[in-house]
Structures are given as C-alpha cells and as structure tokens.
Amino acid sequence: MTVEENTKAILEELGEVKLVSVTKTIDTDRINESIKAGATIIGENRVQEFDEKCDCIPPCEKHLIGHLQTNKVKRAVELFDVIQSVDSLKVAEEIDSRAEEIGKVQKVFLQVNIGNEPQKYGFGTDEIAQAIKDIQALKNVHVKGLMCIPPFVSPEEARPYFRNMKAIFDEMKQANQGNIDIKELSMGMSGDYKVAIEEGATMVRIGSGIFGKRDY
Ligand SMILES: *Cc1c(COP(=O)(O)O)cnc(C)c1O
C-alpha cells in the first residue's frame, strides 16, 4: 500500500473523527503525498525537525505532538497552529508570553498523563483541573482540547485508560468559558486508534499506519 492509499483508506474509516498524519522522520515528498490524498492535519514531534522541513510542505494545519522544551517555545509558537503537548504550567506561561509578543493567540491541547506514569510527560489525572484553572489567566493561550498517550500495552489493555480519559474530558469541558474551549480529545495511534475511537476520541494520531515503519 502506498502513502496515498493508506491515507485515503484511513480517512474513509475515520469518518467524522479527525486524522493527524504523524510525519516525524518522514521526508517532505511522502508528507506531500499524504496531504494530496486528503490529510489536512500533520503532527510533528520536534520543533527543529519541522523547522527544517516546513518550507516544503503545502498549506495544512500543523500540530506539535512531542514534548516542548522552554527554549524552543518561541519557534514553536511561530510554526504551529496547535501545540497538543502542553504538559506543564511553566510551558503554558512561556507560550502565553511568546504568543503575546507576536500578537498571536496560540491554540493548545493539554497533555494528560493518563496512566500517571512517573517517566511520562503530562498533567497527572489529579492535576488537570487545577492546571485548567491556572491557564484561565493566560489570555494568549486558548485551550481547545486534551491529548493523552496511554501506557504501552495492548489495545484492549489500553481501553480502560481511554475510557477514563473520556470521563476526564467530559468533566473538564464543564470549565469551558473564555479561553477554555475544550472540544477535541486526541488519543489513539496506529496500533490502538480503533479502540480509542470506540471510547470517544475525536482525533487520532497515525504515523506508521500511513507511512510504514519508521527507521530512526
Ligand atoms: C509517533 C507518535 C504517534 C504516531 O505513532 P504511530 O504508532 O506511528 O502511529 C502519535 N502520537 C505521538 C505523540 C507520537 O509521538
């Protein structure tokens, strides 16, 4: 299957659910194939890698899905339409001030560490409500959704994490007002997106399912 065929097949299968075509390590020719086949959102993990590729990518929505270091925030705000991987108040504050400097309102998702794994980035399940309260004060940041990466387990074992994430999503949506406008739930990757959708994902992030196995 080609990138084009994979993209078309997945888009058809997803229906209303949004696709993020995950393009880390993928060259711009193959990224363009996916966009030509109908992908409208691409997801990159690293600011610098995307910076080197972005001039050769046709118009589309650009999402950052990897951990963001404070010293890369300025460039990330210049490059990305949505930063899905906001995982601390500190990085949210830095995004706010960099966005203000260039007169931008930066759309973000908040990353939830749904398995509360010590080695993983994201707000803990007991921290996310307070994080949203704190971010209400940051006027150049608009919270449009939540994102999670469950523990690395089989799709069926991931199901309870997706289900819990959906419950948190529904609860956090009740905070929607002003700059808090939570609408998207970004969860599910190539191996487990079907389960994620069954549990309420509105957006999935698929890399190898479109481009094949990555060679790092
Ligand atoms: C790489 C990556 C994906 C896509 O992973 P695949 O298994 O290749 O679909 C999704 N989300 C994040 C945050 C990633 O880093």
Side-chain angles (χ1 to χ4, degrees):
M1 293 269 275
T2 64
V3 167
E4 186 181 343
E5 287 165 346
N6 288 336
T7 303
K8 284 188 171 150
I10 290 171
L11 280 171
E12 188 159 325
E13 183 187 354
L14 294 185
E16 299 284 287
V17 174
K18 293 179 182 164
L19 171 66
V20 178
S21 186
V22 175
T23 53
K24 61 179 175 228
T25 78
I26 306 300
D27 63 64
T28 53
D29 284 350
R30 287 158 81 220
I31 297 173
N32 291 348
E33 265 186 70
S34 186
I35 292 171
K36 258 198 288 177
T40 58
I41 308 174
I42 63 165
E44 281 276 344
N45 287 61
R46 295 160 64 97
V47 177
Q48 193 177 331
E49 182 188 335
F50 185 62
D51 206 352
E52 288 160 10
K53 298 194 290 197
C54 62
D55 285 346
C56 303
I57 296 173
C60 64
E61 219 178 282
K62 289 130 188 154
H63 289 209
L64 180 67
I65 60 173
H67 174 66
L68 179 56
Q69 290 168 295
T70 316
N71 63 345
K72 300 274 168 62
V73 167
K74 180 176 188 289
R75 192 65 183 136
V77 166
E78 289 165 356
L79 289 175
F80 290 98
D81 299 296
V82 178
I83 300 174
Q84 291 202 13
S85 44
V86 172
D87 53 17
S88 71
L89 186 58
K90 186 167 152 255
V91 83
E93 287 169 344
E94 183 68 14
I95 291 169
D96 183 59
S97 65
R98 293 300 186 176
E100 188 175 13
E101 279 172 13
I102 61 167
K104 182 180 184 184
V105 172
Q106 179 66 54
K107 291 179 191 163
V108 305
F109 295 177
L110 304 182
Q111 183 171 349
V112 178
N113 183 359
I114 191 63
N116 294 308
E117 297 171 278
Q119 77 281 16
K120 275 227 180 113
Y121 292 112
F123 296 99
T125 53
D126 59 351
E127 296 168 348
I128 185 66
Q130 184 60 46
I132 288 169
K133 282 192 192 123
D134 293 336
I135 291 170
Q136 277 172 355
L138 307 179
K139 295 306 171 202
N140 289 76
V141 169
H142 275 197
V143 179
K144 307 298 276 185
L146 301 180
M147 185 271 252
C148 77
I149 306 169
F152 189 68
V153 294
S154 73
E156 274 311 318
E157 288 169 321
R159 186 184 293 280
Y161 295 103
F162 291 137
R163 188 168 294 176
N164 191 26
M165 190 64 219
K166 173 65 160 64
I168 290 170
F169 173 68
D170 288 338
E171 192 185 329
M172 295 306 133
K173 277 198 289 193
Q174 292 170 29
N176 279 354
Q177 60 164 330
N179 69 329
I180 309 298
D181 183 27
I182 296 169
K183 289 207 169 80
E184 302 291 353
L185 179 55
S186 169
M187 61 184 189
M189 319 202 295
S190 297
D192 56 14
Y193 71 91
K194 290 172 213 246
V195 174
I197 291 168
E198 284 166 8
E199 298 301 334
T202 68
M203 182 180 283
V204 296
R205 309 178 306 268
I206 299 182
S208 49
I210 292 173
F211 299 103
K213 214 165 148 277
R214 281 179 294 276
D215 32 59
Y216 287 96

